[in-house]
Amino acid sequence: MCVAVVYGYGRHWSSLDPRSRVTARKWFYGANIVYKIVLMFNKISVVCLYYRIFAVSTKNFRRVCYAMNAWVVASSMAFIIATVFQCTPIAAFWNRSIPGFKCFENEPWWVSYATVQITTDFILLAMPIRQILRLSMSKAEKLGICLVFGTGALYAIEVVSLAKANVRQRYLCFDIPSNDNRRVRWRS
């Protein structure tokens, strides 16, 4: 993603020379794929952590962990494959001058991916709560453990606020300067 920004991603498209446009879009394409793969493995690792910590307590929680990892892998692979093949031919992602190309429409694609990821994040946040409440500890200790596991909520809240800002910008026509690439820097 950083290299895409170096080549002009986040600046007015018309201010870039044609070679930089193509290079920025190629790097952005690759970064999107890598981002989805990394996000999948991050979520799998969180579920594996829960499994390691809490699976000894109940058989049902082990099943929930298996189901959650299956969901994460299935949904992530679907979006990764769709990201790779979002344009036909693939090179049309960075070169829109190819005759007869077809690409996904960006907005529904982005909204569906964000919805699935945000929902999965909140489910991951909620998974350990029942297990923590069953621990034989004082209420203060249980609250402390819930707060430690709940630090991921800060990330989820930030993602939701970024999604809201993107919707406001696109649908309510707020004029945000094109050199304002905070979202690109934040994800980098």
Side-chain angles (χ1 to χ4, degrees):
M1 181 61 77
C2 292
V3 178
V5 172
V6 168
Y7 283 98
Y9 192 81
R11 286 186 256 159
H12 272 293
W13 201 242
S14 61
S15 70
L16 301 175
D17 64 275
R19 181 188 269 160
S20 291
R21 289 179 191 175
V22 169
T23 305
R25 296 283 294 174
K26 283 181 180 179
W27 279 102
F28 185 68
Y29 175 79
N32 271 310
I33 296 166
V34 171
Y35 174 77
K36 288 175 177 70
I37 292 168
V38 168
L39 196 59
M40 176 182 70
F41 282 115
N42 285 341
K43 290 178 189 216
I44 290 170
S45 70
V46 168
V47 175
C48 290
L49 173 71
Y50 290 167
Y51 184 87
R52 184 173 179 176
I53 294 172
F54 299 115
V56 294
S57 58
T58 64
K59 191 174 185 178
N60 287 339
F61 190 74
R62 286 192 293 271
R63 288 184 184 143
V64 169
C65 287
Y66 290 137
M68 192 63 188
N69 265 345
W71 166 253
V72 168
V73 170
S75 64
S76 296
M77 290 307 296
F79 280 108
I80 290 166
I81 290 168
T83 299
V84 170
F85 298 107
Q86 65 187 294
C87 289
T88 305
I90 292 173
F93 182 87
W94 55 82
N95 184 1
R96 298 295 167 106
S97 65
I98 296 174
F101 77 89
K102 292 182 182 178
C103 294
F104 291 165
E105 194 175 326
N106 276 342
E107 288 304 315
W109 164 247
W110 181 85
V111 169
S112 65
Y113 180 71
T115 302
V116 168
Q117 296 307 313
I118 291 169
T119 303
T120 304
D121 288 346
F122 280 110
I123 292 169
L124 284 172
L125 286 169
M127 277 178 66
I129 293 173
R130 188 171 180 200
Q131 301 302 313
I132 292 169
L133 295 177
R134 289 182 174 176
L135 295 173
S136 54
M137 302 176 152
S138 70
K139 287 184 181 183
E141 290 172 318
K142 289 179 186 179
L143 177 63
I145 291 175
C146 281
L147 290 174
V148 168
F149 279 104
T151 55
L154 298 174
Y155 164 76
I157 291 167
E158 178 64 20
V159 169
V160 170
S161 70
L162 286 171
K164 282 175 37 181
N166 193 14
V167 167
R168 282 188 192 129
Q169 176 185 356
R170 293 188 187 273
Y171 294 112
L172 300 178
C173 301
F174 289 157
D175 187 21
I176 296 176
S178 62
N179 62 354
D180 181 12
N181 56 6
R182 284 178 288 188
R183 282 178 289 174
V184 173
R185 286 189 305 235
W186 178 80
R187 288 179 64 195
S188 303

